[in-house]
């Protein structure tokens, strides 16, 4: 979406701010994606900006800097700003972090009115930014295109409100719903274009999670072949710390981090061997198995915002059984594996009745090479 010279409604201004904010996805986490647009009384565009990367200037500061570039004369700029409105997708911050408070920047700039998409639930903001603007005599409107902003920043909001990362699940399967043949062979169900899309997806994740069985059977790298904005931690659920020391994961631990989540039953000597090889070992307990929710809580504590579960069926089944899945990415190949013993993507206990089953919402369907890519959210 190119920048329009004039908007036809306040909703249109906020929609453009949302589009700007989306450009930062994958680069700003664990911060939220935020866009800001400055308009005059007639909704003519004056300036815009977005949060481009973690640690960098926030959207409001970038919009003000853009206005400075557009209007060099300070007096003319202040007269313009005094009649301007700033639209921003998320409540301006009011604390000193990696950058100064955006609320103070707006006050110093002389902005007279601010329209906010949603309130920031972060403990260090949570209404404080709006209050600071109000105290400075700035008129604040809250709740424009709220649902769209919430959808954009759903992973950030989940992390702030629940302490859990946004959980993506991905698998490739045949047309008859198999992720491997009856002998366990899975390479390659999907085509090369689909695999390229998976690498693009991995490149915006904080972690990629697989079970120990998948790690042993496939001996994957789980790295990002197409460079993306992030280098995900490769996480293995391995209750007994059985990941082979000569596996691709262990051998490449220096190039991309590996975390093995083990139970309290894991032999101490095997834990030490993995640690000596450069692998981080995290003990999830007390239990003889690794509790996925507890692991996700730890990843949330580390400010991981988006994580991707890639398999196998038991791990995916556990995620669905415990209602942990937020978003699904499914690649369906026009192939038939057959076999009652062939592996299906989601094992676990499953639901007892059809009205209870998880349902994909707002789904998109796209052809990628010979495959069909189905993507949507479960909440």
């Amino acid at each position: 979406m190119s920048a329009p010279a004039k908007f036809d409604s306040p909703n249109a201004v906020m929609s453009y701010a949302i589009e700007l904010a989306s450009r930062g996805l994958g680069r700003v986490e664990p911060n939220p994606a935020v866009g800001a647009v400055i308009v005059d009384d007639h909704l003519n565009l004056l300036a815009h900006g977005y949060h481009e990367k973690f640690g960098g200037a926030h959207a409001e500061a970038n919009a003000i800097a853009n206005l400075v570039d557009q209007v060099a004369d300070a007096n003319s700029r202040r007269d313009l700003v005094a009649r301007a409105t700033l639209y921003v997708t998320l409540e301006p911050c009011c604390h000193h972090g990696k950058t100064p408070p955006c609320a103070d920047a707006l006050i110093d700039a002389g902005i007279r009115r601010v329209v906010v998409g949603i309130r920031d639930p972060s403990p260090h903001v949570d209404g404080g930014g709006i209050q600071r603007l109000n105290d400075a005599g700035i008129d604040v409107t809250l709740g424009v295109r709220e649902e769209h902003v919430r959808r954009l920043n759903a992973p950030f909001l989940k992390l702030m409100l629940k302490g859990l990362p946004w959980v993506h699940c991905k698998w490739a399967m045949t047309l008859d719903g198999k992720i491997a043949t009856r002998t366990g062979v899975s390479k390659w169900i999907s085509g090369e274009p689909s695999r390229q899309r998976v690498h693009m997806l991995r490149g915006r994740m904080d972690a990629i999670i697989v079970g120990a069985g998948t790690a042993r059977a496939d001996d994957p790298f789980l790295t990002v072949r197409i460079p993306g904005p992030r280098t995900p931690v490769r996480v293995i659920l391995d209750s007994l710390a059985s990941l082979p020391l000569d596996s691709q994961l262990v051998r490449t631990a220096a190039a991309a981090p590996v975390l093995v989540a083990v139970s309290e039953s894991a032999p101490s000597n095997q834990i030490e061997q993995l640690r000596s090889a450069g692998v981080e070992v995290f003990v999830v307990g007390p239990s003889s198995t690794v509790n996925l929710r507890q692991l996700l809580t730890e990843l949330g504590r580390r400010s991981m915002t988006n994580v991707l579960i890639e398999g196998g069926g038991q791990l995916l089944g556990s995620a669905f059984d415990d209602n942990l899945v937020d978003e699904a990415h499914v690649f369906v190949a026009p192939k038939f594996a057959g076999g009652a013993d062939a592996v299906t993507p989601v094992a676990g206990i499953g639901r007892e009745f059809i009205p209870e089953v998880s349902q994909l919402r707002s789904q998109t369907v796209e052809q990628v090479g010979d495959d069909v890519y189905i993507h949507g959210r479960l909440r």
Side-chain angles (χ1 to χ4, degrees), residues 341-355:
D341 295 329
V343 184
T344 57
V346 181
I349 298 171
R351 300 291 185 252
E352 193 170 352
F353 302 104
I354 291 298

Side-chain angles (χ1 to χ4, degrees), residues 49-91:
Y50 68 97
H51 186 27
E52 298 177 11
K53 63 179 181 178
F54 179 72
H58 288 186
E60 300 93 325
N62 281 332
I64 292 170
N66 181 238
L67 184 61
V68 172
D69 290 340
Q70 300 295 325
V71 184
D73 181 72
N75 291 327
S76 299
R77 188 169 62 248
R78 185 162 288 277
D79 289 343
L80 196 62
V81 168
R83 301 188 301 274
T85 299
L86 179 134
Y87 286 72
V88 62
T89 55
L90 189 73
E91 174 185 4

Side-chain angles (χ1 to χ4, degrees), residues 5-30:
K6 179 181 174 66
F7 298 94
D8 59 13
S9 69
N11 277 351
V13 183
M14 188 61 80
S15 292
Y16 183 55
I18 292 169
E19 193 277 328
L20 288 172
S22 69
R23 300 179 188 180
L25 290 174
R27 295 175 172 82
V28 302
E29 290 85 354

Side-chain angles (χ1 to χ4, degrees), residues 98-293:
K98 292 184 178 295
T99 61
C102 290
D104 289 355
L106 297 178
I107 294 168
D108 293 343
I111 291 285
R112 60 140 190 180
R113 181 168 178 259
V114 175
V115 177
V116 178
I118 64 171
R119 182 168 167 162
D120 185 345
S122 304
H124 49 265
V125 184
D126 198 19
I130 293 173
Q131 185 62 52
R132 186 171 296 187
L133 295 176
N134 283 332
D135 290 345
I138 296 174
D139 178 35
V140 179
T141 299
L142 176 65
V144 177
R145 304 227 73 186
E146 181 175 356
E147 288 306 312
H148 292 79
V149 179
R150 288 190 180 281
R151 180 174 176 81
L152 172 73
N153 273 309
F156 166 77
L157 295 172
K158 183 183 179 186
L159 184 63
M160 289 298 102
L161 296 171
K162 297 184 178 180
L164 293 170
W166 189 260
V167 177
H168 301 252
C169 280
K170 165 264 165 186
W171 64 85
M173 68 181 185
T174 61
L175 203 55
D176 56 338
K178 309 296 184 181
I179 60 172
T181 66
R182 61 182 176 81
T183 59
V185 177
S186 61
K187 294 182 179 180
W188 293 103
I189 287 176
S190 58
E192 179 60 26
S194 292
R195 298 198 292 276
Q196 289 181 2
R197 292 292 287 271
V198 170
H199 281 276
M200 293 172 64
L201 177 64
R202 286 179 177 178
R204 62 184 182 87
M205 295 290 130
D206 292 307
I208 300 170
I209 306 173
V210 300
T214 297
R216 287 191 296 269
D218 296 348
D219 193 21
F221 283 97
L222 299 180
T223 49
V224 181
R225 192 173 66 207
I226 300 174
R230 311 188 80 76
T231 300
V233 177
R234 298 170 293 169
V235 180
I236 317 302
L237 271 74
D238 185 3
S239 59
L240 296 178
S242 62
L243 185 66
L245 296 178
D246 62 351
S247 66
Q248 303 284 13
L249 287 162
V250 175
R251 291 167 60 189
T252 58
V258 178
L259 185 154
V260 177
V262 305
S263 72
E264 291 184 341
S265 303
S268 58
N269 65 314
Q270 291 179 206
I271 290 176
E272 289 308 314
Q273 287 176 350
L274 287 171
R275 285 175 172 160
S276 297
V279 172
E280 180 184 358
V281 179
F282 175 70
V283 180
V284 183
S287 175
S288 60
T289 59
V290 176
N291 182 286
L292 180 57
R293 183 177 289 274

